Amino acid sequence: MGDGHARVTGAGLGHGPGGGHDHDHGGDHGHGLDPGSGSGGGHGHTHSHGPAAPVSKHLRKVIAAILIPFTAAVVVGLAVLWPGGAPPHARTGVGFDRQTQQATVTKVASVSCKAVNASGETPTGDTSTAEGSSAQQEASGTCKKATIRVDTGKDKGRTFTEIVQPDQSRQLHEGEKVVAAYEPSAPKDLQYSVTDVNRKFPMVLLAGIFAIAVVVVGRMRGVMALVALAVSFMVLTFFILPAILQGSNPLLVAVVGASAIMLIALYMCHGLSARTSVAVLGTLLSLVLIGLLGSGFIDWAALTGNTDDSTGLIHGLYPSIDMSGLLLAGVIIGSLGVLDDVTVTQTSAVWELHEANPSMGWRGLYRAGIRIGRDHIASVVNTLVLAYAGAALPLLLLFSIAQSSVGTVANSELVAEEIVRTLVGSIGLVASVPVTTALAALVVSADRSGPQAATATAGAEAASGGPAAGRSGRGRRRKR
C-alpha cells in the first residue's frame, strides 16, 4: 500500500508513518497493537486480550455443514432411542436390588459372642486358617448388640437388633445413621438388617465445597461447567442407562449419549465459536477411533463384560443386554471426559499461538501446537493409567498375594478388561492431539491467502521494529 500501512485481518494491527493511523479489523479479536508516534521506526505497542479472532464466513459455513447434520443426527438418535424410564422388574433382594430404609443406631451394648452364638457350641475348625481363626474369635470374643430404629417407611419407629462380630470391618456406634435393608418375605424379627452407613451429609458437603471452589476460581465459566456437569448426569441417568436396560444396542446408545454430552458440555462451557467447533470435531474423530479399536479388540480378546457380581446381576435380571457391548459403551463414555480436556486445550493453544504471531502459517502452527501436545500426552496417559490402576488396586493386591505371574494376571478376563479399556482410551487420547492440532491450524489460517500472509509478515516486523520498520516506517510486502 502506498501509505505504508500494514494490516492484518483479525489481529487488529495497524501502522502508519507518523503514528496517526490505527486500523482495527474484526471486532472480535485477540490483540490490538497501538502504533507509536514518529516516522523513524520508534514504535510502542500494547496487547489487549479478548476472544479469538473470528474465522471467515466461508470457513464458518464449512464447519456448520459438518456439525449441523451431526447435531441433527444426535437429536434424532435421542428421540428414537429415548426410553421413557427404566423398565420395571420384581426385586431380587440381592445387592443394590433391595428395599432400603433410613435408620439410626439408638443403643450399643457389649455381649459375649458365645451367648449370642446360635448353636451355642465352640467351633473346632483349624485356627491356623483365616476362617478358623475368625470363627474362634466370634465364639470366644466380645460382640456388640446394637438396637436400631427405622426412621422412614411404613415401619417408621420400629426397632430391631443387630449383632456385630468383633472382626467385622464396620462397627456400629450409638447415634450413627445407617441404611437398613428390608425383606418382606423373611420372618418378622429378621426382616431388617443393617447394610451400610448413611454418608449422605459428608458427600453433600464435599460436593458443596467442590461447587464453591469451581465458581470462585472459574467464575462464570465455573458456573457453566457445573451446569454442563448436571446436564451430563441427566443424560446419563435419564437416557443412557434406561435405554440400555430397555434392550437398545449399548454401543449405539453410548455413541448418541456421549455425542449429546460432548455438544452440550463444550458449547455451554466454551461458547458457540469456531474454536469450540474444532474441539468438537477433534473429539468426534477420536471417539470414532476409540469405538473402532474397542470393538475390534473386545471381540478379538473374547471379553464378555460379565466378570463380577454387579455385571452378573445385570445379566441375570436383563438377559437381553449385550454385556460386551456394555463394556464398549463404558470405554467410550469413560474416555469422553479426558478427550474434551485434550481437544479444548490443543485448540486453544493453536488459537493463542496464531494471535501471538499472525504471520505463522498452518505448518508452523501445527509444529508449535504439537510440541505443547507432546507434554499433554505424557501427563494425560499417565493420569489415565494410574486412575484405572487405582480403581483396580484391591484386585491387583489379591493377585500379588497369590503370587501370580504378570502374564497370568494380565490374561485373566477381569484384568484384561481394564487393560483393553486403558490402552484403547489412551490410543484415542494420543491420536486426538495431532488430529485436533492439525484441524485447528488449518481452520485458523485457511482464510489467509498469499498476499495477505505477506502483509501480515511485514506488519509483524513493523510492530517489532524489524527490517520493515527500518525503512522510514513503511510496511513492505514480501513474496513467499
Side-chain angles (χ1 to χ4, degrees):
M1 291 180 293
D3 59 356
H5 295 196
R7 304 195 295 177
V8 180
T9 303
L13 184 151
H15 174 69
H21 297 278
D22 184 11
H23 294 279
D24 185 15
H25 301 278
D28 190 16
H29 54 82
H31 294 276
L33 303 182
D34 296 329
S37 58
S39 58
H43 303 280
H45 62 272
T46 60
H47 297 270
S48 60
H49 296 276
V55 296
S56 66
K57 289 184 179 180
H58 174 70
L59 279 176
R60 286 199 295 269
K61 288 180 180 178
V62 172
I63 294 173
I66 299 172
L67 289 179
I68 290 177
F70 170 67
T71 304
V74 171
V75 173
V76 171
L78 288 172
V80 171
L81 297 173
W82 193 264
H89 71 276
R91 288 188 178 272
T92 62
V94 179
F96 290 103
D97 195 35
R98 292 180 288 185
Q99 298 183 46
T100 59
Q101 302 294 344
Q102 304 303 314
T104 303
V105 179
T106 57
K107 184 180 178 181
V108 177
S110 297
V111 295
S112 170
C113 290
K114 187 175 182 179
V116 295
N117 187 6
S119 64
E121 298 178 359
T122 303
T124 58
D126 183 5
T127 57
S128 63
T129 65
E131 294 82 359
S133 177
S134 177
Q136 185 71 27
Q137 188 177 10
E138 290 175 5
S140 59
T142 301
C143 296
K144 290 182 180 179
K145 183 179 181 180
T147 303
I148 297 102
R149 182 188 68 239
V150 179
D151 295 332
T152 59
K154 63 182 181 63
D155 290 330
K156 182 178 180 180
R158 177 178 166 181
T159 60
F160 64 97
T161 59
E162 184 96 1
I163 302 301
V164 183
Q165 302 294 341
D167 62 340
Q168 281 186 215
S169 58
R170 183 182 296 115
Q171 298 291 314
L172 299 179
H173 308 282
E174 189 170 328
E176 189 174 22
K177 301 292 184 180
V178 295
V179 178
Y182 174 64
E183 179 49 60
S185 62
K188 188 170 183 180
D189 58 341
L190 299 176
Q191 287 181 334
Y192 283 96
S193 61
V194 175
T195 60
D196 209 344
V197 173
N198 187 338
R199 50 182 67 89
K200 288 183 179 179
F201 178 73
M203 299 295 286
V204 170
L205 179 62
L206 182 60
I209 295 173
F210 163 73
I212 292 172
V214 170
V215 172
V216 168
V217 177
R219 299 187 179 179
M220 186 51 65
R221 285 287 181 90
V223 173
M224 297 309 295
L226 291 176
V227 174
L229 180 63
V231 172
S232 299
F233 272 108
M234 290 175 63
V235 172
L236 184 65
T237 304
F238 295 108
F239 172 70
I240 295 178
L241 300 180
I244 292 175
L245 290 178
Q246 279 201 343
S248 299
N249 185 287
L251 177 57
L252 183 59
V253 171
V255 169
V256 173
S259 299
I261 291 173
M262 174 184 66
L263 291 170
I264 293 170
L266 288 180
Y267 283 116
M268 186 173 288
C269 293
H270 305 286
L272 190 64
S273 65
R275 178 189 295 195
T276 308
S277 298
V278 170
V280 168
L281 288 174
T283 304
L284 177 61
L285 292 174
S286 302
L287 283 178
V288 170
L289 176 61
I290 289 173
L292 293 174
L293 284 174
S295 179
F297 279 93
I298 286 174
D299 288 342
W300 196 6
L303 299 177
T304 63
N306 189 2
T307 53
D308 55 23
D309 293 339
S310 298
T311 54
L313 178 59
I314 292 171
H315 185 64
L317 292 173
Y318 300 95
S320 61
I321 293 180
D322 179 10
M323 299 305 294
S324 60
L326 186 62
L327 173 62
L328 179 57
V331 172
I332 292 174
I333 295 173
S335 302
L336 177 61
V338 189
L339 270 178
D340 288 350
D341 171 48
V342 172
T343 55
V344 168
T345 300
Q346 286 304 116
T347 305
S348 297
V350 172
W351 243 265
E352 293 301 325
L353 287 167
H354 172 70
E355 292 181 14
N357 186 2
S359 64
M360 190 182 297
W362 80 266
R363 289 184 179 85
L365 288 171
Y366 176 80
R367 286 194 294 268
I370 206 68
R371 285 196 294 270
I372 298 172
R374 290 190 185 105
D375 290 336
H376 206 180
I377 286 173
S379 61
V380 168
V381 169
N382 195 44
T383 300
L384 193 64
V385 171
L386 290 179
Y388 283 126
L393 199 57
L395 176 65
L396 297 177
L397 189 59
L398 283 176
F399 282 111
S400 178
I401 293 171
Q403 297 183 348
S404 301
S405 66
V406 174
T408 302
V409 172
N411 190 65
S412 67
E413 184 172 1
L414 201 56
V415 175
E417 278 189 5
E418 298 303 324
I419 292 174
V420 170
R421 193 194 313 269
T422 302
L423 296 182
V424 167
S426 297
I427 291 171
L429 288 173
V430 171
S432 70
V433 171
V435 168
T436 307
T437 305
L439 283 173
L442 287 170
V443 168
V444 81
S445 60
D447 56 342
R448 292 168 59 242
S449 61
Q452 289 175 316
T455 304
T457 303
E461 290 180 346
S464 60
R471 294 176 176 84
S472 301
R474 292 182 177 272
R476 180 180 176 184
R477 294 177 182 168
R478 297 191 311 177
K479 293 184 180 180
R480 284 186 152 183

